Amino acid sequence: MFRIMNVRSVPFEDATASARIRDAAIARFGAQGYDRTSVREIAADAGVSPALVIHHFGSKEALRHACDDWLATQLIGEKTRVAAPEVAATIREWLDDPERFRPYIDYFATMLADGTEGGNRLFDRLVHDTAAMLDAGVADGSMRESSDPGMRALIITVHGLAPLLLRDQLARAMGTPFASSATIRRMTRPMLELYTHGLYADSRMLDAADEALRGVAPTGSEPRSDKGPGNPNQDPDPPTHGRPDTW
Amino acid sequence: MFRIMNVRSVPFEDATASARIRDAAIARFGAQGYDRTSVREIAADAGVSPALVIHHFGSKEALRHACDDWLATQLIGEKTRVAAPEVAATIREWLDDPERFRPYIDYFATMLADGTEGGNRLFDRLVHDTAAMLDAGVADGSMRESSDPGMRALIITVHGLAPLLLRDQLARAMGTPFASSATIRRMTRPMLELYTHGLYADSRMLDAADEALRGVAPTGSEPRSDKGPGNPNQDPDPPTHGRPDTW
DNA sequence: CATGATCCTAAACACGTGTTCAATCCTTCG
DNA sequence: CGAAGGATTGAACACGTGTTTAGGATCATG
């Protein structure tokens, strides 16, 4: 009724066929992925013939594009709204009512993972909004300054998106459904601890990285610096911490 | 002639056909995804007939399973090695030589995203290894304690995996190829700053969350607490920060 | 040489896919 | 009413898919 009114989770009888098709497509694409979804499935869900799907949207790929656009509009708003961080706000709103908005959450995740054009646009928008929010936080003194605000905004955005993309793994590991109250409650404090105090007890890692980054040639294969179990962040990716030299 | 050259950690010509098929499959699955890859493509890459692919592996799905197992073995080691955090170490090794190991990096990312059985196993393993590393860090005083070590390990693992899953978006946003020296160097300091000092300048968010989590009923729809631009982490997912109450 | 056994392939099969097309139904309006 | 025009469909088409089948090379061994 309020903001995203047209966004009823389940298509209604009275909804136009084209809208029912779009809703069914979003649900299927989000739940099983674009490739694993057939036009016939979508048509059946919408109570319609496969031919009508093509008639209305032109092709399966065009249908996906229409879904992307529609969801982006839901997220960003018809005409770019006044305040910047609208996308994040809307997504938070979605996560408030997971049962109702799950299809959109899922579809949004697949957009990002598939590297769709619409997904790229939304990602860039998120980074932009995040940067704005961080700037505001720094301005009012609630957040720390960064040596590279743009990069920090990118990193925080990526970290924020991560649980969305790994929601299945998260739910499995935690034993509670994703976006449930229990999951959120359990994640809140550790997450805030991380964002408030950090992980490291002192700045040794940071200092070591500074030194390593200062005078090292971009190329080259110097020997690894540290290796003990006390080393950095550890996993695949930003494991930068432990061995920031060789990268 | 030799198509996927970078994939072969083993010389190609003398490699057995079965190995060539497996390598080609890993490269294709990683680059374009399982569904978008046909058995015929893999066969062509391996210089072999489609029938042989099935003959050796039984089915396309079984081939994927074989790829999963093979890559898991590469990551974890034949017989579980002595030290625990082997997986993370191997992945870091891969990221050291992106050109050579890109296929494995890509395939690993799709395993996680697709929720493959092998992907799940690797994810659990990563969480376990991360937890062990964090425990060691806490023990030797280099890392802070956590109110929920298990959850922290999960979160840090997810955050660490994030850039891997969003590598395309990352590369696009940064303008440098993923896992390149330039990308790593630019990410290092902001990442370490985040992990060393955190994001928030004080513990107001944390305190607010504590208070909210203490006496609030798991269900309920109280009014939002804050809303200003100074609010938390902002985006989709662990945006917990801003409004830890309603979750 | 003959005998298997192993590796491998060409050809075909059965099927699911996205899409097209001619023909309906249904509403609207002159 | 009757014509027009959009919405809708059943049936088919062309094609790509994973897989099967029947057999051909190749080669070590009796």
Side-chain angles (χ1 to χ4, degrees):
Chain A
M1 333 239 158
F2 321 113
R3 289 263 264 214
I4 321 240
M5 51 205 287
N6 36 357
V7 87
R8 44 182 159 285
S9 44
V10 188
F12 277 82
E13 287 305 329
D14 59 332
T16 165
S18 160
R20 288 203 319 273
I21 293 171
R22 189 230 305 124
D23 287 346
I26 288 179
R28 285 283 183 180
F29 289 159
Q32 9 172 299
Y34 178 80
D35 297 304
R36 260 158 292 197
T37 301
S38 73
V39 173
R40 285 168 171 81
E41 275 179 315
I42 296 170
D45 288 351
V48 135
S49 77
L52 192 64
V53 174
I54 300 300
H55 170 80
H56 274 310
F57 294 91
S59 72
K60 183 187 178 186
E61 184 58 38
L63 169 59
R64 170 198 229 167
H65 199 98
C67 291
D68 281 10
D69 284 349
W70 184 84
L71 199 123
T73 302
Q74 296 303 118
L75 274 169
I76 297 180
E78 283 292 346
K79 304 245 164 205
T80 326
R81 294 184 188 156
V82 281
E86 275 301 328
V87 179
T90 306
I91 293 183
R92 257 184 259 120
E93 196 174 330
W94 287 2
L95 289 174
D96 260 354
D97 197 348
E99 277 321 309
R100 183 165 161 220
F101 294 112
R102 166 121 10 158
Y104 307 117
I105 298 172
D106 287 340
Y107 187 84
F108 177 55
T110 74
M111 280 177 74
L112 287 168
D114 287 3
T116 290
E117 179 209 326
N120 292 350
R121 270 185 8 240
L122 279 179
F123 179 84
D124 293 342
R125 173 79 189 225
L126 268 174
V127 174
H128 177 269
D129 290 359
T130 300
M133 189 216 61
L134 294 178
D135 286 348
V138 170
D140 72 15
S142 68
M143 295 180 186
R144 299 180 171 275
E145 302 216 16
S146 170
S147 65
D148 187 343
M151 197 64 225
R152 179 169 75 168
L154 186 54
I155 290 171
I156 288 187
T157 302
V158 167
H159 279 190
L161 255 12
L164 212 58
L165 297 173
L166 290 170
R167 59 199 185 287
D168 290 343
Q169 250 87 9
L170 249 184
R172 205 172 40 79
M174 296 184 62
T176 54
F178 176 73
S180 70
S181 167
T183 299
I184 303 293
R185 286 173 64 84
R186 173 117 194 258
M187 286 184 70
T188 298
R189 198 165 202 294
M191 191 90 83
L192 279 175
E193 285 175 3
L194 226 37
Y195 277 106
T196 302
H197 300 305
L199 169 68
Y200 295 118
D202 53 50
S203 63
R204 275 182 299 179
M205 284 294 170
L206 191 53
D207 297 339
D210 276 342
E211 192 177 343
L213 285 175
R214 206 185 320 276
V216 77
T219 170
S221 53
E222 310 88 359
R224 276 67 182 283
S225 51
D226 64 280
K227 226 11 176 159
N231 75 349
N233 163 321
Q234 99 298 341
D235 54 23
D237 194 31
T240 348
H241 311 52
R243 31 219 295 304
D245 42 321
T246 55
W247 302 65
Chain B
M1 326 241 142
F2 4 88
R3 46 236 25 351
I4 320 269
M5 60 276 212
N6 41 356
V7 83
R8 91 299 173 245
S9 49
V10 239
F12 28 74
E13 281 311 323
D14 59 334
T16 165
S18 161
R20 289 204 316 274
I21 293 171
R22 189 231 304 125
D23 287 347
I26 288 178
R28 286 282 183 181
F29 289 159
Q32 12 175 294
Y34 178 81
D35 297 304
R36 261 160 297 211
T37 301
S38 73
V39 173
R40 284 168 172 81
E41 275 179 316
I42 296 171
D45 287 352
V48 135
S49 77
L52 192 64
V53 175
I54 301 299
H55 170 81
H56 274 310
F57 294 91
S59 71
K60 184 187 177 186
E61 183 57 38
L63 169 59
R64 171 199 229 164
H65 199 98
C67 292
D68 281 11
D69 283 350
W70 184 85
L71 198 122
T73 303
Q74 295 302 115
L75 273 169
I76 298 180
E78 282 294 345
K79 305 249 163 202
T80 326
R81 293 185 191 156
V82 280
E86 275 300 329
V87 180
T90 306
I91 294 184
R92 259 184 260 120
E93 196 175 329
W94 287 2
L95 289 173
D96 259 354
D97 198 348
E99 276 321 308
R100 184 164 160 221
F101 294 111
R102 167 123 6 160
Y104 306 121
I105 297 172
D106 288 340
Y107 187 84
F108 177 54
T110 75
M111 280 176 75
L112 287 169
D114 287 3
T116 290
E117 178 208 328
N120 292 351
R121 270 186 6 241
L122 279 179
F123 179 83
D124 293 342
R125 173 79 189 226
L126 267 173
V127 174
H128 176 269
D129 290 358
T130 300
M133 191 216 59
L134 293 179
D135 286 347
V138 170
D140 73 14
S142 67
M143 296 179 186
R144 299 179 172 276
E145 302 216 18
S146 170
S147 66
D148 187 342
M151 197 64 223
R152 178 169 76 167
L154 186 54
I155 291 172
I156 288 186
T157 302
V158 167
H159 280 188
L161 253 14
L164 212 60
L165 297 173
L166 290 170
R167 60 198 184 287
D168 291 343
Q169 249 88 9
L170 249 184
R172 205 172 40 80
M174 296 184 61
T176 55
F178 177 73
S180 71
S181 168
T183 299
I184 303 293
R185 286 173 64 84
R186 175 119 194 257
M187 286 185 70
T188 298
R189 200 168 200 292
M191 191 90 84
L192 278 175
E193 284 175 4
L194 227 36
Y195 277 106
T196 301
H197 301 305
L199 168 68
Y200 296 119
D202 53 51
S203 62
R204 277 182 297 178
M205 285 293 170
L206 191 54
D207 296 340
D210 276 342
E211 192 176 342
L213 285 176
R214 204 185 322 274
V216 78
T219 169
S221 53
E222 312 89 359
R224 276 66 182 285
S225 50
D226 63 280
K227 225 12 178 159
N231 74 348
N233 161 323
Q234 98 297 342
D235 54 24
D237 198 30
T240 345
H241 309 55
R243 32 219 292 305
D245 42 319
T246 54
W247 301 64

